[in-house]
Amino acid sequence: VRLVRLILAGTFLVEGTGALILTLRFLTEYPLKKALWLGVFHAVSAFCNAGFDILGFITPGASLVAYRGDVAINLTLTALIVIGGLGFFVWNDLLMLQQKNHRLSVHTRLVLWTTAILLVGGTLAILALEWNNPATLGGMTVGKKILAAFFQSGTTRTAGFAAVDQGSLTGSGKLVSMLMLVGGSSGSTAGGIKTVSAALLFLMSYSVLRNHKETVLFGRRISQQQMASAASIALLVSGLGLMGGMILSATNGLALSDCLYEAISAICTVGLSTGITAGLNLGSKILLIIYMFFGRVGIMTISFAFMTKIPPDNAVRHPEARVLIG
């Protein structure tokens, strides 16, 4: 009950604050009624990592390109995206800090560190790869380039807003933006394989390379079952994204990079597109609908639903085999 109250109160507080800031900003251009509608709609859309915008009356299909240099709108939306993507259990853990001797859980610390690394790393990568691209960051001032790159890094957490034309990104820029595969965190409004799953994969790889028998994080051991779950989710989502991209490319005669972008965006419930969606054939659109459904319900949930008739692991114990790895 306490957690539900926190979710409800926190959601209304965060969305309300974001809506107020955005409304005040839009008031400088539009009447009160329209500014309020724009502020509330985009605050809710950003917090819920939905990515829907209603700015098509400025330039159809351009999303937030008209406001890519606006500090108030970009930072407010990015903050809403990140807060919504942290997860309600992280909120609860952070609020518990006011209690004496309370320490953040391993999950919360891992979420915060991974989110920060993705945001900063994504910003720097987009800046480096798109700095001289005239179709994206090339014609901006230094400050606006940093703002646009930061927003691009934030929106790929599965928010779906676009401050630059996604179809005009360089090949490397699109590849970096495909980090939307990671998404947000467990128990949040975001999709993707989740930040914790991605972090555990890197930690597991590091432990294997160092020949450590266990994966240790913040002085705590991560169970093999959790490592296996993280690897399974990452493999399923990545495999579906790759397969979907190849199908879209083969059946529509489009560039593989654009089709991979489209498929990963769908399976991770992001909503970003390079602009090819409207021109896809019927079968491809149905595939994307299925991907969005799978991504929203949850890959692990779907997997459990399909594997319920498989006998438990301890029903049969087979002889051990050793195979060559690497």
Side-chain angles (χ1 to χ4, degrees), residues 17-316:
T17 303
L20 177 61
I21 296 172
L22 293 174
T23 298
L24 292 175
R25 169 60 187 84
F26 285 124
L27 265 176
T28 62
E29 299 182 43
Y30 308 107
L32 176 60
K33 184 177 179 180
K34 187 169 186 176
L36 180 62
W37 174 234
L38 290 172
V40 172
F41 187 96
H42 291 101
V44 174
S45 183
F47 176 80
C48 295
N49 279 232
F52 284 109
D53 70 85
I54 49 175
L55 297 172
F57 62 88
I58 300 175
T59 304
S63 191
L64 293 171
V65 172
Y67 295 100
R68 62 185 182 182
D70 192 293
V71 176
I73 291 178
N74 280 263
L75 292 185
T76 301
L77 291 178
T78 304
L80 289 168
I81 291 165
V82 172
I83 293 172
L86 288 177
F88 303 118
F89 297 104
V90 174
W91 289 12
N92 184 57
D93 202 18
L94 290 172
L95 286 176
M96 294 288 285
L97 281 175
Q98 59 185 326
Q99 297 184 4
K100 188 177 180 180
N101 297 326
H102 178 76
R103 295 185 62 187
L104 293 177
S105 67
V106 172
H107 171 78
T108 297
R109 283 183 278 176
L110 186 58
V111 165
L112 294 177
W113 272 108
T114 307
T115 301
I117 291 171
L118 287 171
L119 283 173
V120 176
T123 300
L124 295 176
I126 292 295
L127 275 175
L129 297 171
E130 300 293 327
W131 187 272
N132 294 317
N133 184 355
T136 54
L137 306 184
M140 302 181 187
T141 63
V142 174
K144 289 184 177 180
K145 285 182 179 181
I146 295 174
L147 182 64
F150 178 68
F151 187 82
Q152 176 71 13
S153 180
T155 196
T156 52
R157 300 277 62 74
T158 78
F161 294 116
V164 295
D165 181 12
Q166 303 298 296
S168 298
L169 292 169
T170 63
S172 299
K174 289 177 184 177
L175 183 61
V176 170
S177 296
M178 286 182 198
L179 282 175
M180 57 187 170
L181 185 72
V182 175
S185 302
S186 302
S188 74
T189 59
I193 67 174
K194 303 297 188 292
T195 53
V196 170
S197 297
L200 288 182
L201 288 178
F202 281 101
L203 290 170
M204 180 174 64
S205 300
Y206 177 78
S207 298
V208 170
L209 291 175
R210 296 296 300 272
N211 200 28
H212 293 167
K213 293 183 178 180
E214 297 179 337
T215 301
V216 178
L217 178 65
F218 302 123
R220 296 290 186 272
R221 174 176 54 85
I222 306 299
S223 72
Q224 291 300 315
Q225 179 60 46
Q226 287 192 306
M227 303 300 293
S229 297
S232 299
I233 293 173
L235 183 61
L236 281 169
V237 177
S238 302
L240 286 172
L242 180 61
M243 182 180 69
M246 291 190 295
I247 292 174
L248 294 182
S249 179
T251 57
N252 292 275
L254 298 171
L256 180 60
S257 60
D258 290 342
C259 292
L260 282 174
Y261 201 91
E262 198 83 5
I264 291 174
S265 179
I267 193 70
C268 296
T269 66
V270 183
L272 288 173
S273 173
T274 57
I276 66 173
T277 310
L280 296 175
N281 58 42
L282 178 60
S284 297
K285 291 178 180 178
I286 292 175
L287 176 64
L288 292 180
I289 291 171
I290 295 172
Y291 269 29
M292 288 185 281
F293 178 77
F294 267 56
R296 184 64 280 172
V297 175
I299 296 297
M300 187 58 76
T301 303
I302 296 292
S303 300
F304 280 133
F306 287 150
M307 294 189 297
T308 51
K309 294 184 179 180
I310 295 178
D313 291 339
N314 58 0
V316 177

